[in-house]
């Protein structure tokens, strides 16, 4: 049974569920552990790696303050999974048409819809977005047309490590899994409040281990504004995944045998902040590349575009602040992966998966990630595996 390794180099302990951590990430965590707002410790998941603003794979509980850079700019990024009534043996031998149907239905990268994918579903969020623009008018200058963008980007994938996959579980049941967040809207909300927090710390002459650790304090207008905006972005991210899932299912209905959704298992964030009770205190828990794994709670831990993924059930481990990893975790940066691997390596490592195999996705090659099976073994005290998934089709941003 794994047990967290405790390191005491700051004001609070750092509890780490792995020995596989690079020095840059460890330095980030050490700096975080000196903050006087952290309680009772920082929990670090086995997929940990260096991140912009804060360490990916970290769980940061804070008292009466939130660190916007720890939440990051991909606010509400997370996973969604639905199991279908189809069996893997019912699928066609070639899945190229399936991939093309998904790519036709869901804009990827910087692309967006020509018209809103679901205006009715978005309507409850419109007033909230108008309020966000009132609280943070600078966002209008960051975006050419904020309200139009909100509508046209909802139900789109984005780029980087975001993906849509057709998968099957260990029993041969086919499902759809996807990974995305709050798109450009969330990015601009995050950037605005990260800079605002830095300005406030400078105004207060607050000395921090890093400017990225600037925080917004309860009782201030900027804190209230951020809480409203970040909550809105997290709702938008969840809706983005829901609408995208409906678009994917509609696309699959055109090219696969008739099916129904038999179980929508999870729609969970892994870049977000929530208020929870841990170790005798109400704290703001920022999960920067981690999912909540409370007792009995379901979650999704994806591998890479050539390896297994998992549906898991949380064990409610208090030391991890009821959290677990959000994936395999990068071993190589995107730039490094492009230097180390070739297109031939990508083709070999994604053999049997219908996906792009060109230089444009080389930075997402499975070899750039940690071994998902090792990561899962390191957190067996945090989650139990419910289903093991293997991808058949992968659409990347």
């Amino acid at each position: 049974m794994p047990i967290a390794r405790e390191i005491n180099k700051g004001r609070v302990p750092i509890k780490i569920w792995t020995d596989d951590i690079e020095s840059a990430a460890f330095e980030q965590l050490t700096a975080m552990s000196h903050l006087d707002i952290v309680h009772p410790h920082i929990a670090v998941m086995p997929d940990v790696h260096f991140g912009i603003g804060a360490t990916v794979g970290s769980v940061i509980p804070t008292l009466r303050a939130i660190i916007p850079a720890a939440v990051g700019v991909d606010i509400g990024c997370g996973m969604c999974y639905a199991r279908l009534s189809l069996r893997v043996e019912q699928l066609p031998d070639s899945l190229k048409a399936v991939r093309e149907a998904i790519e036709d239905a869901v804009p990827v990268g910087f692309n967006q819809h020509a018209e809103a994918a679901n205006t009715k579903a978005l309507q409850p969020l419109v007033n909230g977005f108008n309020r966000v623009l009132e609280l943070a008018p600078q966002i209008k200058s960051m975006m050419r047309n904020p309200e139009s963008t909100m509508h046209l980007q909802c139900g789109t994938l984005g780029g980087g490590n975001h993906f849509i996959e057709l998968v099957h579980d260990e029993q041969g049941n086919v499902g759809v899994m996807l990974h995305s967040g709050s798109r450009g809207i969330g990015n601009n909300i995050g950037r605005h409040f990260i800079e605002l927090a830095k300005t406030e710390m400078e105004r207060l002459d607050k000395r921090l281990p890093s400017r990225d650790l600037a925080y917004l304090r309860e009782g201030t207008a900027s804190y209230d504004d951020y809480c409203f905006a970040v909550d809105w972005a997290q709702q938008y991210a969840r809706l983005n995944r829901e609408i995208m899932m409906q678009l994917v299912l509609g696309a699959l209905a055109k090219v696969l045998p008739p099916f129904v959704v038999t179980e929508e298992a999870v729609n969970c964030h892994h870049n977000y902040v929530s208020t929870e009770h841990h170790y005798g205190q109400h704290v703001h828990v920022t999960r920067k590349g981690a999912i909540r794994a409370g007792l009995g709670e379901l979650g999704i831990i994806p591998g890479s575009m050539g390896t297994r993924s998992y549906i898991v059930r949380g064990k409610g481990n208090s030391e991890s602040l009821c959290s677990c990893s959000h994936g395999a975790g990068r071993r190589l940066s995107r730039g490094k992966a492009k230097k180390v691997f070739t297109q031939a390596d990508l083709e070999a490592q994604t053999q049997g998966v219908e996906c792009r195999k060109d230089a444009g996705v080389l930075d997402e090659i499975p070899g750039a990630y940690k071994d998902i099976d090792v990561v899962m073994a390191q957190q067996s005290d945090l989650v139990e595996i419910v289903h093991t998934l293997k991808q058949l089709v992968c659409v990347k941003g």
Side-chain angles (χ1 to χ4, degrees), residues 42 87 90 101 118 126 169 177 182 207 223 311 346 378:
I42 298 168
R87 300 279 303 170
Q90 294 178 267
N118 194 326
V126 171
D169 65 18
M177 181 170 67
S182 51
R207 300 184 183 277
Y223 167 88
I311 303 295
L346 177 63
Q378 290 171 331

Side-chain angles (χ1 to χ4, degrees), residues 125 128-129 132 150 185 189 227-236:
L125 293 184
F129 185 59
V132 169
M150 178 193 71
I185 301 286
I189 289 173
C227 285
F228 184 91
V230 79
D231 180 68
W232 183 91
Q234 289 172 186
Q235 292 181 56
Y236 182 80

Side-chain angles (χ1 to χ4, degrees), residues 295-328:
L295 183 63
E297 294 178 349
L298 292 175
I300 307 172
I301 303 177
S304 64
M305 60 191 291
T307 60
R308 285 177 287 276
S309 298
Y310 296 91
I311 303 295
V312 298
R313 183 178 290 112
K315 294 186 176 182
N317 189 308
S318 60
E319 278 197 295
S320 74
L321 306 166
C322 294
S323 307
C324 68
S325 83
H326 81 311

Side-chain angles (χ1 to χ4, degrees), residues 132-327:
V132 169
L133 295 180
E134 291 175 9
L135 298 175
Q138 293 89 336
I139 292 174
K140 293 182 181 179
S141 66
M142 297 178 180
M143 308 178 68
R144 186 171 299 174
N145 190 329
E147 293 183 24
S148 174
T149 299
M150 178 193 71
H151 282 83
L152 300 183
Q153 285 192 349
C154 200
T156 65
L157 185 62
N161 62 353
H162 293 161
F163 62 79
I164 301 167
E165 291 183 345
L166 188 71
V167 300
H168 69 86
D169 65 18
E170 70 285 347
Q171 297 171 342
N173 300 303
V174 173
V176 175
M177 181 170 67
L178 57 84
H179 170 209
S180 191
S182 51
R183 302 293 283 109
I185 301 286
N187 181 295
N188 285 289
I189 289 173
R191 286 166 52 203
H192 168 74
F193 284 99
I194 288 169
E195 292 307 312
L196 182 60
K198 290 176 180 178
T199 300
E200 292 217 353
M201 293 289 98
E202 290 169 358
R203 181 178 61 81
L204 295 170
D205 195 27
K206 184 72 175 178
R207 300 184 183 277
L208 299 169
S210 166
R211 292 187 74 234
D212 285 332
L213 300 181
Y215 52 82
L216 300 172
R217 298 162 299 126
E218 284 185 8
T220 64
S222 55
Y223 167 88
D224 292 337
D225 293 350
Y226 180 67
C227 285
F228 184 91
V230 79
D231 180 68
W232 183 91
Q234 289 172 186
Q235 292 181 56
Y236 182 80
R238 184 177 294 275
L239 182 61
N240 180 42
R241 291 191 291 273
E242 290 173 356
I243 291 177
M244 208 182 327
M245 179 63 78
Q246 292 306 311
L247 293 172
V248 172
L249 295 177
L252 295 180
K254 298 176 182 178
V255 293
L256 293 180
F259 65 85
V260 295
V261 174
T262 58
E263 184 177 354
E264 187 162 356
V266 195
N267 188 340
C268 62
H269 299 320
H270 55 224
N271 276 358
Y272 74 111
V273 60
S274 66
T275 303
E276 302 174 13
H277 191 82
H278 294 280
Y279 289 84
Q281 293 276 6
H282 288 292
V283 290
H284 300 297
V285 179
T286 297
R287 292 185 173 91
K288 172 78 167 182
I291 63 173
R292 182 171 165 83
L295 183 63
E297 294 178 349
L298 292 175
I300 307 172
I301 303 177
S304 64
M305 60 191 291
T307 60
R308 285 177 287 276
S309 298
Y310 296 91
I311 303 295
V312 298
R313 183 178 290 112
K315 294 186 176 182
N317 189 308
S318 60
E319 278 197 295
S320 74
L321 306 166
C322 294
S323 307
C324 68
S325 83
H326 81 311

